[in-house]
Amino acid sequence: MTASFASRAPRSVLSSALHRGVCSSSAADRLASKLGRPASALQTEPRLDFLRAKGLTANEMATVAQLLQSNTSLSLLDVTGNQLGGEAVEHLVSILDCSRTLRTLAVGNNNLRAGAAQLAMAAAASGSLTSLLMPANAIAGGACKEIARALAAESQLAELDLSHNAFGPIGGAAIAKGLAANTNLTELRLASCSIRASGGQRIAEALRAGSALRSLDLHECYIGADGLAAIADALHGNSTLEVLRLSDNNLAEKSGLGSHELSAEDGIAALVRLLAHNQTLRLIDLRHNGFDAAQQDELRALEREGLEIVLI
């Protein structure tokens, strides 16, 4: 499956930005002035974390991509917080297409929108990238379907961060479908993505299908009792997940936001059953869920050596 996925990636087209001419000295000088260091650093340093929040434009990312052609030791590229927009995606993709040593690409808060899907597909086909961090990029549900294709391609990605993209239940279900077909991803962050109960149920199905996840972040996803019960039941047969973050999910609030069939009591009962029997979980974050004193005491009683239950 990996080979067929890679064959669909238009590699020569995606790397075209690198063949529009040699990077001009004036463009490199302007970039160096903005970064506060010589442009040659882009050609030699393995960890490029000094490009964060520099106000880079899409054109400047083209210059970055050209300079990175000669960097044979690049392991981390962090361009978080530049508001690059979709026009910069082709340059980011060209970097993935060119580099065979890049392991981590952080592109959070860049307003990539639908371009995030193109980037995810290129990441899956890169052969080297293991961490793709794309929080706060206005990613919608439709783009998640393409991101799911990247996950289903059985790429080498081990870490994916899609937090703070309010793609809702449709996006959550799509990501869950890709996750169910993936055996390599070990860390998935979907905090503040509003996947709600139905998205939580789809994630539960992926966990039940044999996901390799060791860490799952569903902070502020409003999964409610239905989502909680589904995930708790799925984890009875799961022997990989060690960290589960469920803070701010309305798990015990009477409004039952995100729930349609089960009461808060039903969800908490499923959680108690899980914590009483699961031997794999090492940390579960349950803060800000409206648990009353009696419920907190019941949950604290399940804490043991090797299992931390965070309630406040």
Side-chain angles (χ1 to χ4, degrees):
M1 189 172 188
T2 304
S4 61
F5 176 84
S7 67
R8 292 195 296 270
R11 299 176 68 86
S12 60
V13 174
L14 295 176
S15 61
S16 62
L18 297 180
H19 302 288
R20 294 173 182 165
V22 177
C23 177
S24 70
S25 59
S26 59
D29 289 343
R30 288 193 297 271
L31 180 62
S33 178
K34 183 171 280 191
L35 297 179
R37 64 181 69 201
S40 59
L42 294 171
Q43 299 173 302
T44 57
E45 295 190 18
R47 297 181 61 83
L48 303 182
D49 54 4
F50 52 82
L51 287 83
R52 294 174 59 94
K54 296 296 185 181
L56 298 178
T57 66
N59 285 338
E60 287 167 335
M61 276 307 304
T63 302
V64 169
Q66 290 169 356
L67 289 167
L68 288 179
Q69 287 184 85
S70 56
N71 190 325
T72 59
S73 61
L74 180 65
S75 62
L76 178 146
L77 176 61
D78 188 347
V79 294
T80 300
N82 282 289
Q83 288 295 319
L84 291 168
E87 292 181 359
V89 170
E90 66 171 311
H91 309 308
L92 294 168
V93 169
S94 71
I95 293 169
L96 287 173
D97 190 48
C98 203
S99 175
R100 289 295 173 263
T101 58
L102 184 62
R103 297 291 181 265
T104 300
L105 177 60
V107 293
N109 195 18
N110 273 294
N111 199 33
L112 299 181
R113 296 183 179 270
Q118 183 183 358
L119 192 58
M121 294 175 70
S126 73
S128 64
L129 201 75
T130 58
S131 296
L132 179 59
L133 314 179
M134 300 194 294
N137 270 294
I139 300 172
C144 287
K145 295 178 181 179
E146 294 301 311
I147 294 173
R149 285 181 57 212
L151 284 176
E154 281 295 338
S155 72
Q156 69 293 329
L157 280 178
E159 178 183 16
L160 178 62
D161 186 356
L162 297 174
S163 299
H164 305 288
N165 290 292
F167 44 65
I170 292 176
I175 297 301
K177 184 176 180 180
L179 178 63
N182 183 291
T183 58
N184 292 321
L185 198 72
T186 58
E187 183 170 359
L188 176 62
R189 299 199 286 278
L190 300 177
S192 300
C193 288
S194 299
I195 67 171
R196 296 186 176 261
S198 60
Q201 290 168 329
R202 301 291 86 76
I203 292 291
E205 292 173 4
L207 293 172
R208 198 185 298 275
S211 163
L213 282 185
R214 292 201 297 267
S215 178
L216 174 62
D217 186 351
L218 296 177
H219 162 77
E220 202 178 26
C221 277
Y222 308 118
I223 64 172
D226 293 78
L228 172 62
I231 288 172
D233 289 345
L235 289 178
H236 275 282
N238 181 286
S239 60
T240 58
L241 196 72
E242 299 176 354
V243 176
L244 178 59
R245 301 189 184 279
L246 295 175
S247 53
D248 285 288
N249 268 291
N250 302 89
L251 300 183
E253 295 182 9
K254 300 305 179 184
S255 66
L257 179 64
S259 298
H260 303 288
E261 299 178 2
L262 302 182
S263 68
E265 289 74 16
D266 291 330
I268 294 169
L271 177 62
V272 168
R273 289 194 299 272
L274 168 68
L275 297 179
H277 297 286
N278 183 282
Q279 299 297 311
T280 305
L281 280 173
R282 296 292 175 261
L283 183 147
I284 182 166
D285 184 352
L286 298 169
R287 293 172 297 160
H288 312 305
N289 277 298
F291 296 119
D292 61 29
Q295 291 166 336
Q296 289 188 44
D297 288 343
E298 183 178 19
L299 290 167
R300 284 196 185 96
L302 296 168
E303 198 166 35
R304 59 180 181 273
E305 184 177 355
L307 173 60
E308 179 182 3
I309 301 174
V310 182
L311 293 166
I312 54 176

